Amino acid sequence: MNGILGPGGLDERFLTRNGHAARQLAALLIRQGADGAGARLPRVRDVAELLGVGNGTVQSALRLLEEAGAIKTVARGHLGTFLTGSDRAVLWRLSGLGTVRAALPLPYSRRFEGLATGLRAAFEEAGAPFAITFLRGAAARVTALAEGRAELAVLSRSAADRLTGRQSVELITDLGPGTYVGAHGLVLRPGVTLDAPGLRIAVDDASEDQRMLAERVFAHRPGVAWVPCSASQVREALAQGRADATVWNLDEVPGQLGAEVQVLPLGDELTHDLAVRHTSAALIGRTGEAAGAGALSAVRDAVDLSAVTAVQDEVLRGERVPAY
């Protein structure tokens, strides 16, 4: 394979008009999923019309991609031109789509570690450069996305449904029940009962899900007081008697909150549909013509997101070491 990088970045061939068309074509192949052996390439005249160039420019662009080792093709007469091989990492590098940055929740549970590991594995398989930033709170991750500090964000499906309408972001996929958390439950400090008046409820204002669930379960009870606590402060607040109860992610109990707390299932306050949406991981990205939308389009078509949950399950079963 000939090198595609020169002393100043891209090989000089890719800085010409033909080279620019080659980079656009690389992005097009990724977005259309036509980067695997056996795929039929778009017709030259269709690509030329799409890119606003001549047929000869498109043919030169195809030759450049072949010379760079990004693709191998074979012409089959009136049937068209087909790929016989491709290097997705080279295609992605040439496309100019850049590194896909994902904003994920802090990896404080094995489930979140499995999610991060699965995403990295799926992007590596697709040959796409990938980076993770960890941010506490769904709102913070949506803000990072809207401000261009990330191309993808991971939230619960419930939080995604509430937050995506407020920013120029959209749902990419729902990974299904149990991919974000296993379940939520009621957590009480020793000696406290749910029917006690004046309960003090720990609420993490950074967590859309935790705050909403706590309000749904306790807001109708008499004399309830809300005690603001970050995730790291809840255990201490319960142990010191500053808070009596809360709703919490059971993946973190008792490891995060201590073995001495009482854990009860949620009752009828949570419908089946709401419970499912709170446990499902959702991937969201920026919409329309916003910066990063090209990478989003490529993610939809080039990355096998079903592989994410398979890797996450391996991590949860202890069959794979988290690596992210």
Side-chain angles (χ1 to χ4, degrees), residues 105 108 112 135-141 155-156 158-159 162-163 180-181 184 202-215 229-232 234 246-249 252 278:
Y108 49 68
F112 284 156
L135 295 172
R136 187 169 76 91
R141 295 192 290 279
L155 321 174
S156 73
S158 179
R162 294 194 303 276
L163 293 173
Y180 194 75
V181 302
H184 288 91
V203 178
D204 181 2
D205 287 331
S207 171
E208 286 275 332
D209 287 340
Q210 196 273 337
R211 184 176 69 251
M212 191 277 280
L213 287 172
E215 290 174 351
C229 289
S230 69
S232 61
V234 172
T246 191
V247 176
W248 210 250
N249 172 8
E252 303 170 50
H278 273 289

Side-chain angles (χ1 to χ4, degrees), residues 70-89:
I71 60 173
K72 294 180 181 178
T73 66
V74 60
R76 295 178 180 167
H78 69 280
L79 294 177
T81 301
F82 292 79
L83 288 178
T84 58
S86 65
D87 188 321
R88 287 181 290 185

Side-chain angles (χ1 to χ4, degrees), residues 10-321:
L10 279 176
D11 185 305
E12 290 182 359
R13 293 172 298 171
F14 289 93
L15 303 179
T16 64
R17 178 178 175 82
N18 290 343
H20 180 65
R23 297 178 68 187
Q24 290 180 295
L25 181 55
L28 180 64
L29 292 176
I30 291 172
R31 291 182 186 129
Q32 293 187 346
D35 60 342
R40 184 181 184 277
L41 292 178
R43 295 182 302 179
V44 168
R45 65 173 178 269
D46 292 338
V47 176
E49 182 178 351
L50 181 64
L51 302 184
V53 298
N55 290 352
T57 299
V58 174
Q59 291 165 342
S60 295
L62 282 168
R63 284 196 298 271
L64 277 177
L65 292 181
E66 291 208 64
E67 290 169 5
I71 60 173
K72 294 180 181 178
T73 66
V74 60
R76 295 178 180 167
H78 69 280
L79 294 177
T81 301
F82 292 79
L83 288 178
T84 58
S86 65
D87 188 321
R88 287 181 290 185
V90 175
L91 271 176
W92 196 284
R93 190 188 305 181
L94 286 172
S95 71
L97 292 170
T99 298
V100 178
R101 300 163 297 176
L104 269 66
L106 300 178
Y108 49 68
S109 72
R110 182 52 63 95
R111 199 174 304 272
F112 284 156
E113 287 190 313
L115 188 57
T117 302
L119 281 168
R120 178 164 294 283
F123 274 84
E124 287 179 350
E125 177 64 25
F130 182 67
I132 294 175
T133 181
F134 294 106
L135 295 172
R136 187 169 76 91
R141 295 192 290 279
V142 172
T143 298
L145 190 64
E147 293 179 350
R149 293 182 282 116
E151 283 70 51
L152 299 175
V154 176
L155 321 174
S156 73
R157 177 60 190 270
S158 179
D161 288 345
R162 294 194 303 276
L163 293 173
T164 50
R166 307 177 196 174
Q167 304 277 4
S168 296
V169 296
E170 64 178 306
L171 179 72
I172 297 172
T173 190
D174 181 330
L175 294 177
T179 54
Y180 194 75
V181 302
H184 288 91
L186 300 174
V187 178
L188 293 80
R189 67 181 177 88
V192 171
T193 60
L194 278 177
D195 57 0
L199 288 174
R200 295 162 297 173
I201 310 303
V203 178
D204 181 2
D205 287 331
S207 171
E208 286 275 332
D209 287 340
Q210 196 273 337
R211 184 176 69 251
M212 191 277 280
L213 287 172
E215 290 174 351
R216 192 178 185 92
V217 172
F218 293 106
H220 67 283
R221 297 175 183 270
V224 165
W226 305 104
V227 181
C229 289
S230 69
S232 61
Q233 295 171 331
V234 172
R235 179 173 184 169
E236 183 180 351
L238 292 172
Q240 294 179 353
R242 292 187 286 109
D244 300 311
T246 191
V247 176
W248 210 250
N249 172 8
L250 296 186
D251 290 338
E252 303 170 50
V253 180
Q256 294 282 330
L257 302 186
E260 67 278 3
V261 298
Q262 304 176 71
V263 180
L264 302 174
L266 287 174
D268 296 335
E269 298 91 347
L270 214 59
T271 65
H272 174 72
D273 178 63
L274 188 58
V276 167
R277 287 189 288 120
H278 273 289
T279 67
S280 300
L283 271 63
I284 64 173
R286 291 196 295 284
T287 59
E289 299 303 318
L296 170 61
S297 177
V299 167
R300 291 184 190 276
D301 297 318
V303 179
D304 180 9
L305 293 173
S306 67
V308 176
T309 54
V311 171
Q312 183 186 47
D313 287 343
E314 291 176 3
V315 171
L316 288 172
R317 293 194 301 266
E319 298 170 358
R320 184 173 185 140
V321 176

